[in-house]
Amino acid sequence: MASHIVGYPRMGPKRELKFALESFWDGKSSAEELEKVAADLRVSIWKQMADASIKYIPSNTFAYYDQVLDTTAMLGAVPPRYNWSGDEIGFETYFSMARGNASVPAMEMTKWFDTNYHFIVPELGPDVKFSYASHKAVNEYKEAKAIGVDTVPVIIGPVTYLLLSKPAKGVEKTFPLLSLLDKILPIYKEVIAELKAAGASWIQFDEPTLVMDLESHQLEAFTKAYAELESSLSGLDVLIETYFADIPGDAFKTLTSLKGVTAFGFDLVRGTKTLDLIKSVFPSGKYLFAGVVDGRNIWANDLDASLVTLKFLEDVVGKDKLVVSTSCSLLHTAVDLINEPKLDTEIKSWLAFAAQKVVEVNALAKALTGQKDEAFFSANAAAQASRKSSPRVNNEAVQKAAAALKGSDHRRATNVTARLDAQQKKLNLPILPTTTIGSFPQTIELRRVRREYKAKKISEEEYVKSIKEEINKVVKLQEELDIDVLVHGEPERNDMVEYFGEQLSGFAFTANGWVQSYGSRCVKPPIIYGDVSRPKPMTVFWSTTAQSMTKRPMKGMLTGPVTILNWSFVRNDQPRFETCYQIALAIKDEVEDLEKAGITIIQIDEAALREGLPLRKAEHAFYLDWAVHSFRITNVGVQDTTQIHTHMCYSNFNDIIHSIIDMDADVITIENSRSDEKLLSVFREGVKYGAGIGPGVYDIHSPRIPSTEEIADRINKMLAVLETNILWVNPDCGLKTRKYTEVKPALQNMVAACKLLRSQLASSK
């Protein structure tokens, strides 16, 4: 029985690639040094899988930024603003597209389906001149072959690539992107020909858009694409991989009818209904890559249950046509439990990171051939039983409190217009009030202080003194810049979710459980293993300390329940909404304590609310109902004069704007500039928004500093569709990933633009 891994984490067990990238971007190391780190990581990954007896090992899943950008490079689809010469795409052009540079902005970044991973959105139009401009897929295949590992090259499929793209600036929004299929397929043919010449026997095309709600013409594009590629693919075994959800019946029929395709991969963790389709209409003679090991969570596989599923599938497709696989790329999970020596032993026994999942895949494949490792399966069964019976998982009081939420929609008693009036009387803010989203740059010194405090190398008194000094510095800087509503900069927090999880019951934490979010940005998701509650206040001390340093309003900064949920590894033994309601009650306690302590503006970030939206429209309403309800639970008890803010970033919000309104926040700050001000289109189309709103005026994920004129132009575009009295001015997102040399001039220009427009508005009255 064969085994397969869809993809593997790139950053390395100790984030080696992250540090190499940042060193290269800072000019401290060369391209050759970066390439050496990357090559060493790739080789170690391939050898690890080969040592685990994985038959189908992926290559070309390693990316310096993301796999969609890699495909853009392969196709030579570089927007003209980057002045690309037309040669093989190198780091300068590649990273300019990803991050922008001193003269031009980056391309749009958005979430990869419903994950916390991001990709750079291709910008396409009728005039794009495609060319084979990056030979990375072939080079990596050859690199693996040189060390004796025959891999399966992985490429984003042509139809998915186009469906994830957007019309470039200046191109009609209605431009049919699928009309470019005939222009990109010749490049795919060139890549295929080179892979065949290099000795590849398999190729994997990732076509995850097949799990979406697709129209008939979109499904027809798959048929057309693979019919056109059929002759080029002759002599190769071809795997089409799907993941993240059930595949709809019409898409399943299209997929399994594709010409030249010999194997189909399905997510059987998040797509259990696909089993019925396989049972009824799976084509004979084709391979089934059965994704039974979860690539998106960190819980150990229930090996006995998976074996039952695999034996059922074996009867359907045949013993020699079944391949055990992961549900999706392991990119979305942490790297290796071996790097967690301090993790609680019982909880650790319940977990499997990427390295352990590779072992699980192989163990299941061997078990199907009669080589079952009885000791391994027995230990797995014991861990499953331990988790079900552990008293640390269940808290009866929390369960009762969450159950009592049913029957109320938890809305504040007064409407938002009346609340804003009451808040303005208390806050006395100018028109176009300025603020930032929460975090300020995390300096090397600040990270050292937190690290030494955790390692008990400095006392609590020394730690508090250092953090207070950092807060004071951030407060004074904002006052000098003349920002209206301040933040404390979050110096006590390494991560907005981890910080809260560390103070809530039911959470566990890793030392090295890093997961890539985008580029060099890694997050360390907490593990929600049990019922959630708040033992004591979490932010009140720091918020009141910061407020005591200024007379200007200071925002209390919290992470909302939906974002904590979506940015954690969540328990899979109860529905997600039940866990979310428990978190909401914990945040509600914190909100009310902040209000009692005199904090008049409280921001409850829901950056990941859109991210959790199911991929299929039929499931949207249920998710949005409990997600929005969870947010309202957090602040239903505050006074009218307490202003509740929320923040969202890096997703397409236009299709959920009515749910955003239904959250009933007083002010929302929302990403806008990097997505080419796409958000504003909903207001142009007539959506009425009565609460305060701050569409971001500049992209914080780029080192580029926007001019005063550029920001003023953005604000004017907002004023064309939004009322002056509800508009706020702020960056797209938090500033923790930037340097002070970038933050100070950018915020200076933001405030200057705001004052310029205030002056113009005053003189026009």
Side-chain angles (χ1 to χ4, degrees):
M1 185 63 59
S3 51
H4 167 251
I5 305 296
V6 177
Y8 202 80
R10 308 166 184 141
M11 283 290 118
K14 295 184 178 176
R15 295 181 291 162
E16 291 89 341
L17 182 61
K18 168 191 171 65
F19 300 121
L21 283 167
E22 291 173 354
S23 177
F24 174 71
W25 292 337
D26 290 344
K28 296 176 182 175
S29 61
S30 66
E32 291 75 21
E33 288 171 303
L34 173 57
E35 288 168 340
K36 173 72 166 57
V37 170
D40 288 346
L41 285 170
R42 287 194 296 269
V43 168
S44 69
I45 290 167
W46 291 326
K47 284 184 175 178
Q48 176 190 346
M49 287 195 245
D51 290 345
S53 301
I54 300 299
K55 181 174 181 180
Y56 300 111
I57 296 172
S59 61
N60 198 42
T61 59
F62 187 95
Y64 287 100
Y65 214 86
D66 82 78
Q67 68 271 34
V68 180
L69 184 60
D70 283 359
T71 312
T72 295
M74 181 184 85
L75 297 170
V78 181
R81 65 180 177 273
Y82 299 108
N83 296 317
W84 172 52
S85 64
D87 299 327
E88 181 86 3
I89 289 174
F91 284 154
E92 183 178 355
T93 300
Y94 183 88
F95 288 129
S96 289
M97 289 192 286
R99 308 177 70 239
N101 57 43
S103 57
V104 291
M107 295 166 70
E108 180 185 350
M109 182 169 70
T110 196
K111 296 289 174 73
W112 176 246
F113 294 83
D114 59 346
T115 75
N116 187 30
Y117 181 68
H118 301 66
F119 72 96
I120 302 298
V121 182
E123 301 173 11
L124 305 178
D127 299 327
V128 175
K129 302 231 174 350
F130 296 99
S131 64
Y132 187 12
S134 171
H135 293 66
K136 177 178 171 292
V138 178
N139 293 340
E140 284 193 18
Y141 174 78
K142 290 178 177 178
E143 183 183 22
K145 194 171 184 182
I147 62 164
V149 180
D150 189 23
T151 60
V152 179
V154 179
I155 301 172
I156 297 288
V159 182
T160 287
Y161 177 78
L162 292 176
L163 290 176
L164 294 178
S165 302
K166 70 172 187 177
K169 202 164 188 177
V171 175
E172 286 291 328
K173 299 299 180 191
T174 55
F175 174 73
L177 292 160
L178 288 174
S179 68
L180 298 173
L181 199 55
D182 290 335
K183 293 186 177 182
I184 67 170
L185 288 178
I187 291 127
Y188 274 84
K189 289 179 181 179
E190 287 188 71
V191 179
I192 292 164
E194 285 197 6
L195 286 168
K196 285 170 75 172
S201 57
W202 277 82
I203 187 168
Q204 174 180 321
F205 291 108
D206 281 9
E207 295 279 16
T209 51
L210 278 163
V211 306
M212 309 284 283
D213 295 309
L214 298 180
E215 297 175 13
S216 58
H217 77 279
Q218 294 170 319
L219 290 173
E220 286 164 10
F222 288 95
T223 303
K224 176 184 175 182
Y226 288 93
E228 179 65 27
L229 292 174
E230 184 182 13
S231 60
S232 298
L233 292 168
S234 176
L236 285 172
D237 279 307
V238 179
L239 165 64
I240 305 293
E241 187 66 55
T242 68
Y243 36 78
F244 297 151
D246 284 302
I247 184 166
D250 53 355
F252 183 87
K253 185 176 179 181
T254 297
L255 171 61
T256 53
S257 302
L258 293 179
K259 293 183 177 179
V261 177
T262 50
F264 310 101
F266 300 106
D267 182 337
L268 300 180
V269 176
R270 289 184 174 235
T272 52
K273 293 176 187 172
T274 302
L275 287 168
D276 293 332
L277 293 171
I278 294 169
K279 181 181 178 181
S280 60
V281 290
F282 195 80
S284 63
K286 303 288 187 178
Y287 289 91
L288 169 62
F289 282 60
V292 294
V293 172
D294 192 352
R296 285 186 60 174
N297 216 328
I298 42 64
W299 302 108
N301 188 272
D302 185 337
L303 296 178
D304 288 334
S306 292
L307 201 53
V308 170
T309 299
L310 290 166
K311 286 179 177 177
F312 159 75
L313 292 171
E314 193 176 56
D315 291 339
V316 174
V317 304
K319 190 181 285 283
D320 62 331
K321 296 297 181 184
L322 182 64
V323 179
V324 182
S325 184
T326 54
S327 64
C328 62
S329 173
L330 298 176
L331 171 71
H332 308 288
T333 189
V335 179
D336 195 341
L337 269 174
I338 201 170
N339 298 315
E340 303 301 334
K342 295 182 180 177
L343 190 60
D344 178 273
T345 305
E346 183 183 31
I347 292 174
K348 193 173 180 178
S349 75
W350 304 340
L351 308 179
F353 290 0
Q356 288 69 46
K357 290 176 186 293
V358 170
V359 174
E360 289 179 338
V361 166
N362 186 50
L364 287 165
K366 283 188 171 180
L368 283 171
T369 62
Q371 302 174 65
K372 185 177 180 183
D373 184 335
E374 295 292 351
F376 187 71
F377 271 71
S378 177
N380 175 268
Q384 299 292 327
S386 157
R387 186 175 165 217
K388 285 177 183 173
S389 62
S390 176
R392 68 203 308 172
V393 170
N394 301 306
N395 182 320
E396 191 176 342
V398 171
Q399 291 171 2
K400 281 183 179 177
L405 294 171
K406 293 169 185 172
S408 170
D409 63 359
H410 296 89
R411 292 183 185 275
R412 292 171 76 178
T414 311
N415 69 45
V416 69
T417 304
R419 297 199 309 262
L420 287 173
D421 286 344
Q423 292 155 14
Q424 179 57 15
K425 284 175 186 171
K426 186 170 187 176
L427 297 169
N428 193 30
L429 296 172
I431 60 167
L432 307 181
T434 53
T435 190
T436 63
I437 304 305
S439 61
F440 265 66
Q442 300 263 312
T443 62
I444 292 171
E445 173 62 19
L446 181 56
R447 292 179 190 278
R448 181 193 63 77
V449 167
R450 284 203 307 262
R451 191 168 57 248
E452 290 187 352
Y453 177 59
K454 277 200 166 185
K456 297 184 168 52
K457 291 181 179 178
I458 61 172
S459 67
E460 183 172 3
E461 186 179 349
E462 290 171 302
Y463 170 72
V464 169
K465 180 174 180 289
S466 294
I467 297 298
K468 281 184 175 180
E469 287 171 356
E470 183 69 19
I471 291 173
N472 190 55
K473 182 177 83 173
V474 169
V475 169
K476 292 292 178 278
L477 172 61
Q478 292 171 93
E479 288 183 330
E480 287 167 17
L481 291 167
D482 204 18
I483 291 172
D484 300 306
V485 173
L486 310 190
V487 297
H488 75 291
E490 304 176 7
E492 79 283 14
R493 308 177 194 182
N494 177 61
D495 177 87
M496 62 188 283
V497 173
E498 182 180 11
Y499 175 80
F500 289 97
E502 284 178 336
Q503 301 182 76
L504 295 169
S505 64
F507 283 74
F509 291 86
T510 62
N512 292 292
W514 297 100
V515 178
Q516 185 182 15
S517 180
Y518 62 86
S520 68
R521 169 83 170 134
C522 297
V523 293
K524 198 166 47 158
I527 298 164
I528 306 178
Y529 67 84
D531 291 329
V532 178
S533 62
R534 185 197 73 147
K536 61 182 181 180
M538 302 179 285
T539 65
V540 174
F541 173 76
W542 296 119
S543 291
T544 52
T545 297
Q547 184 63 81
S548 70
M549 297 174 179
T550 181
K551 292 182 179 177
R552 301 187 185 208
M554 175 66 63
K555 287 196 279 191
M557 301 300 303
L558 305 175
T559 302
V562 185
T563 296
I564 291 176
L565 183 88
N566 285 336
W567 286 357
S568 298
F569 290 126
V570 183
R571 58 191 291 191
N572 57 1
D573 59 344
Q574 70 176 16
R576 288 172 71 87
F577 69 85
E578 289 186 14
T579 303
C580 198
Y581 284 155
Q582 292 178 1
I583 302 169
L585 287 171
I587 300 300
K588 180 177 185 287
D589 290 343
E590 187 71 13
V591 167
E592 291 171 4
D593 279 349
L594 281 168
E595 184 183 59
K596 286 174 192 169
I599 303 300
T600 55
I601 301 180
I602 303 169
Q603 182 169 308
I604 309 166
D605 285 350
E606 284 295 14
L609 187 137
R610 173 63 175 78
E611 173 187 311
L613 191 70
L615 300 178
R616 305 279 280 285
K617 288 176 184 173
E619 300 167 16
H620 286 189
F622 178 67
Y623 167 78
L624 289 169
D625 179 65
W626 63 256
V628 170
H629 187 191
S630 295
F631 177 81
R632 290 200 306 263
I633 288 167
T634 65
N635 59 86
V636 66
V638 300
Q639 300 172 30
D640 287 354
T641 50
T642 297
Q643 190 167 85
I644 299 296
H645 288 221
T646 191
H647 170 68
M648 295 182 180
C649 58
Y650 295 99
S651 286
N652 181 4
F653 301 106
N654 295 25
D655 56 349
I656 64 162
I657 191 66
H658 293 289
S659 294
I660 291 173
I661 293 169
D662 198 38
M663 291 170 72
D664 199 29
D666 297 310
V667 178
I668 179 170
T669 53
I670 196 163
E671 183 273 327
N672 170 67
S673 63
R674 182 150 186 176
S675 59
D676 201 23
E677 299 162 349
K678 188 163 46 182
L679 172 73
L680 300 186
S681 65
V682 298
F683 303 114
R684 293 189 191 103
E685 291 160 11
V687 171
K688 299 297 180 189
Y689 195 78
I693 184 167
V697 297
Y698 78 90
D699 174 23
I700 63 85
H701 287 94
S702 170
R704 183 174 167 274
I705 298 164
S707 67
T708 299
E709 294 73 23
E710 183 183 330
I711 295 174
D713 180 58
R714 279 221 167 94
I715 298 171
N716 272 321
K717 287 179 182 175
M718 297 170 191
L719 288 170
V721 292
L722 293 165
E723 297 294 330
T724 308
N725 64 333
I726 65 168
L727 186 62
W728 285 63
V729 177
N730 46 263
D732 264 351
C733 204
L735 304 169
K736 69 185 293 183
T737 61
R738 300 268 57 88
K739 299 170 184 171
Y740 274 105
T741 52
E742 299 158 347
V743 165
K744 288 179 184 177
L747 291 179
Q748 207 163 22
N749 292 349
M750 183 185 84
V751 173
C754 200
K755 289 181 176 180
L756 174 68
L757 289 171
R758 284 176 190 160
S759 175
Q760 290 175 358
L761 288 167
S763 62
S764 66
K765 285 184 179 178

